Amino acid sequence: MIWAPMHILGMVALLSGIAILVLLQLYSAIMIFATNHVQALLCLIVPGYLLLWAMRYIDDGKFLLVYFSGVALVVLGAVMLS
């Protein structure tokens, strides 16, 4: 099977976006468990609570920039592979 360059770029974009999101989720989870166990349990139960917690307690704009660029890479890779 000959792989087209767009297929390879799509796979790279998708996998790198997923890797960025997983690393940021782990970083945020470690920070939450270090500060408050109740909010850590909420992050495990309620979808999207981790991002809301990060927007409120992490005052670094770089975190959200990297998070949403990871989301954009996942969407770009999915569009390229479809």
Side-chain angles (χ1 to χ4, degrees):
M1 176 179 180
I2 298 174
W3 290 32
M6 292 300 284
H7 183 76
I8 294 172
L9 287 175
M11 282 194 328
V12 168
L14 184 67
L15 293 177
S16 62
I18 290 172
I20 288 171
L21 292 175
V22 166
L23 290 175
L24 286 176
Q25 292 283 343
L26 289 174
Y27 171 73
S28 300
I30 290 170
M31 288 185 60
I32 292 171
F33 275 108
T35 58
N36 192 343
H37 296 292
V38 175
Q39 288 185 347
L41 290 175
L42 281 173
C43 287
L44 291 175
I45 296 170
V46 179
Y49 188 79
L50 180 67
L51 181 60
L52 293 175
W53 184 88
M55 288 172 60
R56 182 170 181 178
Y57 291 105
I58 298 177
D59 292 332
D60 191 12
K62 294 176 193 172
F63 178 83
L64 292 176
L65 179 68
V66 173
Y67 188 87
F68 287 118
S69 64
V71 171
L73 278 173
V74 169
V75 169
L76 178 69
V79 168
M80 289 175 76
L81 288 174
S82 65

Coordinates of all heavy atoms in Angstrom, one line a residue:
M1 N 0.8 -1.2 0.0 CA 0.0 0.0 0.0 C 0.9 1.2 0.0 O 1.8 1.4 0.8 CB -0.9 0.0 1.2 CG -1.7 1.2 1.4 SD -2.8 1.0 2.9 CE -3.6 2.5 2.8
I2 N 0.6 2.1 -0.9 CA 1.4 3.4 -1.0 C 0.6 4.4 -0.1 O -0.5 4.7 -0.3 CB 1.5 3.9 -2.4 CG1 2.3 2.8 -3.3 CG2 2.2 5.2 -2.5 CD1 2.3 3.1 -4.7
W3 N 1.4 5.0 0.8 CA 0.8 6.0 1.7 C 1.0 7.4 1.1 O 2.1 7.8 0.8 CB 1.4 5.9 3.1 CG 1.0 4.6 3.8 CD1 0.7 3.4 3.2 CD2 0.8 4.5 5.2 NE1 0.4 2.5 4.2 CE2 0.4 3.1 5.4 CE3 0.9 5.3 6.3 CZ2 0.2 2.6 6.7 CZ3 0.6 4.8 7.5 CH2 0.3 3.5 7.7
A4 N -0.1 8.1 1.0 CA 0.0 9.4 0.5 C 0.5 10.4 1.5 O 0.4 10.1 2.7 CB -1.4 9.9 0.0
P5 N 1.2 11.4 1.1 CA 1.7 12.4 2.1 C 0.7 13.0 3.0 O 0.9 13.2 4.2 CB 2.4 13.4 1.3 CG 2.7 12.8 0.0 CD 1.6 11.8 -0.2
M6 N -0.5 13.2 2.5 CA -1.6 13.8 3.3 C -2.0 12.8 4.4 O -2.4 13.2 5.5 CB -2.8 14.2 2.4 CG -2.5 15.3 1.5 SD -2.1 16.8 2.4 CE -3.6 17.3 3.0
H7 N -2.0 11.5 4.1 CA -2.3 10.5 5.0 C -1.3 10.5 6.2 O -1.7 10.4 7.4 CB -2.4 9.1 4.4 CG -2.8 8.0 5.3 ND1 -4.2 7.8 5.6 CD2 -2.1 7.0 5.9 CE1 -4.2 6.8 6.4 NE2 -3.0 6.3 6.6
I8 N -0.1 10.6 5.9 CA 1.0 10.6 6.9 C 0.9 11.8 7.7 O 1.0 11.8 9.0 CB 2.4 10.4 6.2 CG1 2.5 9.0 5.6 CG2 3.5 10.6 7.2 CD1 3.7 8.9 4.7
L9 N 0.7 13.0 7.1 CA 0.6 14.2 7.8 C -0.7 14.2 8.7 O -0.6 14.7 9.9 CB 0.5 15.4 6.9 CG 1.8 15.8 6.2 CD1 1.5 16.9 5.2 CD2 2.8 16.2 7.2
G10 N -1.7 13.6 8.3 CA -2.9 13.5 9.1 C -2.7 12.6 10.3 O -3.2 12.9 11.4
M11 N -2.0 11.5 10.1 CA -1.7 10.6 11.2 C -0.8 11.3 12.2 O -1.0 11.2 13.5 CB -1.0 9.3 10.8 CG -2.0 8.4 10.2 SD -1.3 6.7 10.0 CE 0.4 6.9 9.6
V12 N 0.2 12.1 11.7 CA 1.1 12.8 12.6 C 0.4 13.9 13.4 O 0.6 14.0 14.6 CB 2.3 13.4 11.8 CG1 3.1 14.4 12.7 CG2 3.2 12.3 11.3
A13 N -0.5 14.6 12.8 CA -1.3 15.7 13.4 C -2.2 15.1 14.5 O -2.3 15.6 15.6 CB -2.0 16.5 12.4
L14 N -2.9 14.0 14.1 CA -3.8 13.4 15.1 C -3.1 12.8 16.3 O -3.5 13.0 17.4 CB -4.6 12.3 14.3 CG -5.7 11.6 15.1 CD1 -6.8 12.5 15.4 CD2 -6.2 10.4 14.4
L15 N -2.0 12.1 16.1 CA -1.3 11.4 17.2 C -0.6 12.5 18.0 O -0.6 12.3 19.3 CB -0.3 10.4 16.7 CG -1.0 9.2 16.0 CD1 0.1 8.3 15.5 CD2 -1.8 8.4 17.0
S16 N -0.1 13.5 17.4 CA 0.6 14.6 18.3 C -0.4 15.3 19.1 O -0.2 15.7 20.2 CB 1.5 15.5 17.4 OG 0.7 16.1 16.5
G17 N -1.6 15.6 18.5 CA -2.6 16.3 19.2 C -3.1 15.5 20.4 O -3.3 16.0 21.5
I18 N -3.3 14.2 20.2 CA -3.7 13.3 21.3 C -2.6 13.2 22.4 O -2.9 13.3 23.6 CB -4.0 11.9 20.7 CG1 -5.3 11.9 19.9 CG2 -4.2 10.9 21.9 CD1 -5.6 10.6 19.2
A19 N -1.4 13.2 22.0 CA -0.3 13.1 22.9 C -0.2 14.4 23.8 O -0.1 14.4 25.0 CB 1.1 12.9 22.2
I20 N -0.4 15.6 23.1 CA -0.5 16.8 23.9 C -1.6 16.8 24.9 O -1.4 17.2 26.0 CB -0.6 18.0 22.9 CG1 0.7 18.2 22.1 CG2 -1.0 19.3 23.6 CD1 0.6 19.2 21.0
L21 N -2.8 16.4 24.4 CA -3.9 16.4 25.3 C -3.7 15.4 26.5 O -4.1 15.8 27.7 CB -5.2 16.1 24.6 CG -5.6 17.1 23.6 CD1 -6.9 16.7 22.8 CD2 -6.0 18.4 24.3
V22 N -3.2 14.3 26.3 CA -2.9 13.3 27.4 C -1.9 13.9 28.4 O -2.1 13.8 29.6 CB -2.5 12.0 26.8 CG1 -1.9 11.1 27.9 CG2 -3.6 11.3 26.1
L23 N -0.9 14.5 27.9 CA 0.1 15.0 28.8 C -0.4 16.2 29.6 O -0.2 16.3 30.8 CB 1.4 15.5 28.0 CG 2.2 14.4 27.4 CD1 3.3 15.0 26.5 CD2 2.8 13.5 28.5
L24 N -1.2 17.0 29.0 CA -1.8 18.1 29.8 C -2.9 17.6 30.8 O -3.0 18.2 31.8 CB -2.5 19.1 28.8 CG -1.5 20.0 28.1 CD1 -2.2 20.9 27.1 CD2 -0.7 20.8 29.0
Q25 N -3.6 16.6 30.4 CA -4.5 16.0 31.4 C -3.8 15.4 32.6 O -4.2 15.6 33.7 CB -5.4 14.9 30.7 CG -6.3 15.4 29.6 CD -7.6 16.0 30.2 OE1 -7.9 15.8 31.4 NE2 -8.2 16.7 29.4
L26 N -2.7 14.7 32.3 CA -1.9 14.2 33.4 C -1.3 15.3 34.3 O -1.3 15.2 35.5 CB -0.8 13.3 32.9 CG -1.2 11.9 32.3 CD1 0.0 11.2 31.7 CD2 -1.9 11.1 33.4
Y27 N -0.8 16.3 33.7 CA -0.3 17.5 34.4 C -1.3 18.1 35.3 O -1.1 18.4 36.5 CB 0.3 18.5 33.4 CG 0.7 19.8 34.1 CD1 1.9 19.9 34.8 CD2 0.0 20.9 33.8 CE1 2.2 21.1 35.4 CE2 0.3 22.1 34.4 CZ 1.5 22.2 35.2 OH 1.8 23.4 35.7
S28 N -2.5 18.3 34.7 CA -3.6 18.9 35.5 C -4.1 18.0 36.6 O -4.4 18.5 37.7 CB -4.8 19.3 34.6 OG -4.4 20.2 33.6
A29 N -4.2 16.7 36.3 CA -4.6 15.8 37.3 C -3.7 15.8 38.5 O -4.1 15.7 39.7 CB -4.8 14.4 36.7
I30 N -2.4 15.8 38.3 CA -1.4 15.8 39.3 C -1.5 17.1 40.2 O -1.5 17.1 41.4 CB 0.0 15.6 38.8 CG1 0.2 14.2 38.3 CG2 1.1 16.0 39.8 CD1 1.5 14.0 37.5
M31 N -1.8 18.2 39.5 CA -1.9 19.5 40.2 C -3.2 19.5 41.1 O -3.2 20.0 42.2 CB -1.9 20.6 39.2 CG -0.6 20.9 38.6 SD -0.6 22.4 37.6 CE -1.1 23.7 38.7
I32 N -4.3 18.9 40.5 CA -5.5 18.9 41.3 C -5.4 18.0 42.5 O -5.8 18.3 43.6 CB -6.7 18.5 40.4 CG1 -6.9 19.5 39.3 CG2 -7.9 18.2 41.2 CD1 -7.9 19.1 38.3
F33 N -4.8 16.8 42.3 CA -4.7 15.9 43.4 C -3.8 16.4 44.5 O -3.9 16.1 45.7 CB -4.2 14.5 43.0 CG -5.3 13.6 42.5 CD1 -5.4 13.3 41.1 CD2 -6.2 13.0 43.4 CE1 -6.4 12.5 40.7 CE2 -7.2 12.2 42.9 CZ -7.3 11.9 41.6
A34 N -2.8 17.3 44.1 CA -1.9 17.9 45.1 C -2.6 19.0 45.9 O -2.2 19.3 47.1 CB -0.7 18.4 44.4
T35 N -3.7 19.6 45.4 CA -4.3 20.7 46.1 C -5.6 20.3 46.8 O -5.8 20.7 47.9 CB -4.6 21.9 45.1 OG1 -5.4 21.4 44.0 CG2 -3.3 22.4 44.5
N36 N -6.5 19.7 46.1 CA -7.8 19.4 46.7 C -8.4 18.1 46.2 O -8.6 17.9 45.0 CB -8.8 20.5 46.3 CG -10.1 20.5 47.1 OD1 -10.4 19.5 47.7 ND2 -10.8 21.6 47.1
H37 N -8.6 17.2 47.1 CA -9.1 15.8 46.7 C -10.5 15.8 46.3 O -10.9 15.0 45.4 CB -8.8 14.8 47.9 CG -7.4 14.7 48.2 ND1 -6.5 14.1 47.3 CD2 -6.7 15.0 49.3 CE1 -5.3 14.0 47.9 NE2 -5.4 14.6 49.1
V38 N -11.3 16.7 46.8 CA -12.7 16.7 46.4 C -12.9 17.2 45.0 O -13.6 16.6 44.2 CB -13.6 17.7 47.3 CG1 -15.0 17.8 46.9 CG2 -13.5 17.1 48.8
Q39 N -12.1 18.2 44.6 CA -12.2 18.7 43.2 C -11.5 17.6 42.3 O -11.9 17.5 41.1 CB -11.4 20.0 43.1 CG -12.2 21.1 43.7 CD -11.6 22.5 43.4 OE1 -10.4 22.5 43.0 NE2 -12.3 23.5 43.7
A40 N -10.6 16.9 42.8 CA -10.0 15.8 42.0 C -11.0 14.7 41.7 O -11.1 14.2 40.6 CB -8.8 15.2 42.7
L41 N -11.9 14.4 42.6 CA -12.9 13.4 42.4 C -14.0 14.0 41.4 O -14.5 13.3 40.6 CB -13.6 13.0 43.7 CG -12.7 12.2 44.7 CD1 -13.5 12.0 46.0 CD2 -12.4 10.9 44.0
L42 N -14.3 15.3 41.5 CA -15.2 15.9 40.6 C -14.6 15.8 39.1 O -15.3 15.6 38.2 CB -15.4 17.4 40.9 CG -16.4 17.6 42.1 CD1 -16.5 19.1 42.4 CD2 -17.8 17.1 41.6
C43 N -13.3 16.0 39.0 CA -12.7 15.9 37.7 C -12.8 14.5 37.1 O -12.9 14.3 35.9 CB -11.2 16.3 37.8 SG -11.0 18.1 38.0
L44 N -12.8 13.5 38.0 CA -12.9 12.1 37.5 C -14.4 11.8 37.1 O -14.6 11.0 36.2 CB -12.5 11.2 38.6 CG -11.0 11.2 38.8 CD1 -10.7 10.2 40.0 CD2 -10.2 10.7 37.6
I45 N -15.3 12.5 37.8 CA -16.8 12.1 37.6 C -17.4 13.0 36.5 O -18.1 12.5 35.6 CB -17.5 12.2 38.9 CG1 -17.0 11.2 39.9 CG2 -19.0 12.1 38.7 CD1 -17.5 11.4 41.3
V46 N -17.2 14.3 36.6 CA -17.8 15.3 35.7 C -17.0 15.6 34.5 O -15.8 16.1 34.6 CB -18.1 16.6 36.5 CG1 -18.8 17.6 35.6 CG2 -18.9 16.3 37.7
P47 N -17.5 15.3 33.3 CA -16.7 15.6 32.1 C -16.5 17.1 31.9 O -17.5 17.9 32.0 CB -17.6 15.0 30.9 CG -18.6 14.1 31.6 CD -18.7 14.6 33.0
G48 N -15.3 17.5 31.5 CA -15.1 18.9 31.3 C -14.7 19.7 32.5 O -14.3 20.9 32.4
Y49 N -14.9 19.1 33.7 CA -14.5 19.9 34.9 C -13.1 20.2 35.0 O -12.7 21.2 35.6 CB -15.0 19.1 36.2 CG -14.9 19.9 37.4 CD1 -15.8 20.9 37.7 CD2 -13.8 19.7 38.3 CE1 -15.7 21.6 38.9 CE2 -13.7 20.5 39.4 CZ -14.6 21.4 39.7 OH -14.5 22.1 40.9
L50 N -12.2 19.3 34.5 CA -10.8 19.5 34.5 C -10.4 20.8 33.8 O -9.6 21.5 34.2 CB -10.1 18.3 33.9 CG -8.6 18.3 33.9 CD1 -8.0 18.3 35.3 CD2 -8.0 17.2 33.1
L51 N -11.0 21.0 32.6 CA -10.7 22.2 31.8 C -11.2 23.4 32.6 O -10.5 24.4 32.6 CB -11.3 22.1 30.4 CG -11.1 23.3 29.5 CD1 -9.6 23.5 29.3 CD2 -11.8 23.1 28.2
L52 N -12.4 23.3 33.2 CA -12.9 24.5 33.9 C -12.0 24.8 35.1 O -11.7 25.9 35.4 CB -14.3 24.2 34.4 CG -15.4 24.2 33.3 CD1 -16.7 23.8 33.9 CD2 -15.5 25.5 32.6
W53 N -11.5 23.7 35.8 CA -10.6 23.9 36.9 C -9.3 24.6 36.5 O -8.8 25.5 37.1 CB -10.3 22.6 37.6 CG -9.5 22.7 38.8 CD1 -9.9 22.9 40.1 CD2 -8.1 22.7 38.9 NE1 -8.9 23.0 40.9 CE2 -7.7 22.9 40.2 CE3 -7.1 22.6 37.9 CZ2 -6.4 22.9 40.6 CZ3 -5.7 22.6 38.3 CH2 -5.4 22.8 39.7
A54 N -8.8 24.1 35.3 CA -7.6 24.7 34.8 C -7.8 26.2 34.4 O -6.9 27.0 34.6 CB -7.1 23.9 33.6
M55 N -8.9 26.5 33.8 CA -9.1 27.9 33.4 C -9.2 28.8 34.7 O -8.9 30.0 34.6 CB -10.4 28.0 32.6 CG -10.3 27.4 31.2 SD -11.8 27.3 30.3 CE -12.4 29.0 30.3
R56 N -9.7 28.2 35.8 CA -9.9 29.1 37.0 C -8.6 29.2 37.8 O -8.3 30.2 38.3 CB -11.0 28.5 37.8 CG -11.3 29.3 39.0 CD -12.5 28.9 39.7 NE -12.7 29.7 40.9 CZ -13.8 29.7 41.7 NH1 -14.7 28.8 41.4 NH2 -13.9 30.4 42.7
Y57 N -7.9 28.1 38.0 CA -6.8 28.0 38.9 C -5.4 28.2 38.3 O -4.5 28.5 39.0 CB -6.9 26.8 39.8 CG -8.1 26.8 40.7 CD1 -9.2 26.0 40.5 CD2 -8.0 27.6 41.9 CE1 -10.3 26.1 41.4 CE2 -9.1 27.7 42.7 CZ -10.2 26.9 42.5 OH -11.3 26.9 43.3
I58 N -5.3 27.9 37.0 CA -4.0 28.0 36.4 C -4.0 29.4 35.7 O -4.7 29.5 34.7 CB -3.7 26.9 35.4 CG1 -3.6 25.6 36.2 CG2 -2.4 27.1 34.7 CD1 -3.4 24.3 35.3
D59 N -3.2 30.3 36.2 CA -3.3 31.7 35.6 C -2.3 31.8 34.4 O -2.0 32.9 34.0 CB -2.9 32.7 36.7 CG -3.9 32.8 37.8 OD1 -5.1 32.5 37.4 OD2 -3.6 33.1 38.9
D60 N -1.9 30.7 33.9 CA -0.9 30.7 32.8 C -1.7 30.6 31.5 O -2.4 29.6 31.2 CB 0.1 29.6 32.9 CG 1.2 29.7 32.0 OD1 1.4 30.8 31.4 OD2 2.0 28.7 31.8
G61 N -1.6 31.6 30.6 CA -2.3 31.6 29.4 C -1.7 30.6 28.4 O -2.4 30.1 27.5
K62 N -0.5 30.2 28.7 CA 0.2 29.2 27.8 C -0.5 27.8 27.9 O -0.6 27.1 27.0 CB 1.6 29.0 28.2 CG 2.5 30.2 27.9 CD 3.9 30.0 28.4 CE 4.6 31.3 28.4 NZ 5.9 31.2 29.0
F63 N -1.0 27.5 29.1 CA -1.7 26.2 29.3 C -2.9 26.1 28.4 O -3.0 25.1 27.7 CB -2.1 26.0 30.8 CG -2.8 24.8 31.0 CD1 -2.1 23.6 31.3 CD2 -4.2 24.7 31.0 CE1 -2.8 22.4 31.5 CE2 -4.9 23.6 31.3 CZ -4.2 22.4 31.5
L64 N -3.7 27.1 28.4 CA -4.9 27.0 27.5 C -4.6 27.1 26.1 O -5.2 26.4 25.2 CB -5.9 28.2 27.9 CG -6.5 28.0 29.3 CD1 -7.4 29.3 29.5 CD2 -7.4 26.8 29.3
L65 N -3.5 27.8 25.7 CA -3.1 27.9 24.3 C -2.6 26.5 23.8 O -3.0 26.1 22.8 CB -2.0 28.9 24.2 CG -1.4 29.1 22.8 CD1 -2.4 29.7 21.8 CD2 -0.1 29.9 22.8
V66 N -1.8 25.8 24.7 CA -1.4 24.5 24.3 C -2.5 23.5 24.3 O -2.6 22.7 23.4 CB -0.2 24.1 25.3 CG1 0.2 22.6 25.0 CG2 1.0 25.0 25.1
Y67 N -3.4 23.6 25.2 CA -4.6 22.7 25.3 C -5.4 22.8 24.0 O -5.7 21.8 23.4 CB -5.4 23.0 26.5 CG -6.5 22.0 26.7 CD1 -6.3 20.9 27.5 CD2 -7.8 22.2 26.2 CE1 -7.3 19.9 27.7 CE2 -8.8 21.3 26.4 CZ -8.5 20.2 27.2 OH -9.5 19.2 27.4
F68 N -5.8 24.1 23.6 CA -6.6 24.2 22.5 C -5.9 24.0 21.2 O -6.5 23.6 20.1 CB -7.3 25.6 22.5 CG -8.4 25.7 23.5 CD1 -8.3 26.6 24.5 CD2 -9.5 24.8 23.4 CE1 -9.3 26.7 25.5 CE2 -10.5 24.9 24.4 CZ -10.4 25.8 25.4
S69 N -4.5 24.2 21.2 CA -3.8 23.8 20.0 C -3.8 22.3 19.8 O -3.8 21.8 18.7 CB -2.4 24.4 20.0 OG -1.7 23.8 21.1
G70 N -3.8 21.5 20.9 CA -3.9 20.1 20.9 C -5.2 19.7 20.3 O -5.3 18.7 19.5
V71 N -6.3 20.3 20.7 CA -7.6 20.0 20.2 C -7.6 20.3 18.7 O -8.2 19.6 17.9 CB -8.7 20.9 20.9 CG1 -10.0 20.7 20.3 CG2 -8.8 20.4 22.4
A72 N -7.0 21.5 18.3 CA -7.0 21.8 16.9 C -6.2 20.8 16.0 O -6.6 20.5 14.9 CB -6.4 23.2 16.7
L73 N -5.1 20.3 16.6 CA -4.4 19.2 15.9 C -5.2 18.0 15.7 O -5.1 17.3 14.7 CB -3.1 18.9 16.6 CG -1.9 19.9 16.4 CD1 -0.8 19.6 17.3 CD2 -1.5 19.8 14.9
V74 N -5.9 17.6 16.7 CA -6.8 16.4 16.6 C -7.8 16.6 15.6 O -8.1 15.7 14.7 CB -7.4 16.1 18.0 CG1 -8.5 15.0 17.8 CG2 -6.4 15.6 19.0
V75 N -8.5 17.8 15.5 CA -9.5 18.0 14.5 C -8.9 18.1 13.1 O -9.4 17.5 12.2 CB -10.2 19.4 14.9 CG1 -11.1 19.8 13.7 CG2 -11.0 19.2 16.1
L76 N -7.7 18.7 13.0 CA -7.0 18.8 11.7 C -6.7 17.4 11.2 O -6.8 17.1 10.0 CB -5.8 19.7 11.8 CG -4.9 19.8 10.6 CD1 -5.7 20.6 9.5 CD2 -3.6 20.5 10.9
G77 N -6.1 16.6 12.1 CA -5.7 15.2 11.7 C -6.9 14.4 11.3 O -6.9 13.6 10.3
A78 N -8.1 14.6 12.0 CA -9.3 13.8 11.7 C -9.8 14.2 10.3 O -10.3 13.4 9.5 CB -10.3 14.0 12.8
V79 N -9.8 15.5 10.0 CA -10.2 16.0 8.7 C -9.3 15.6 7.6 O -9.8 15.1 6.6 CB -10.3 17.6 8.8 CG1 -10.6 18.1 7.4 CG2 -11.5 18.0 9.7
M80 N -8.0 15.5 7.9 CA -7.1 15.1 6.8 C -7.2 13.6 6.5 O -7.0 13.2 5.4 CB -5.7 15.4 7.2 CG -5.4 16.9 7.2 SD -3.7 17.3 7.8 CE -2.7 16.8 6.4
L81 N -7.6 12.8 7.6 CA -7.7 11.4 7.3 C -9.1 11.0 6.8 O -9.2 9.8 6.4 CB -7.5 10.7 8.7 CG -6.0 10.7 9.1 CD1 -5.9 10.0 10.5 CD2 -5.1 10.0 8.2
S82 N -10.0 11.9 6.8 CA -11.3 11.5 6.3 C -11.5 11.7 4.8 O -10.6 12.2 4.1 CB -12.4 12.3 7.0 OG -12.3 13.7 6.7

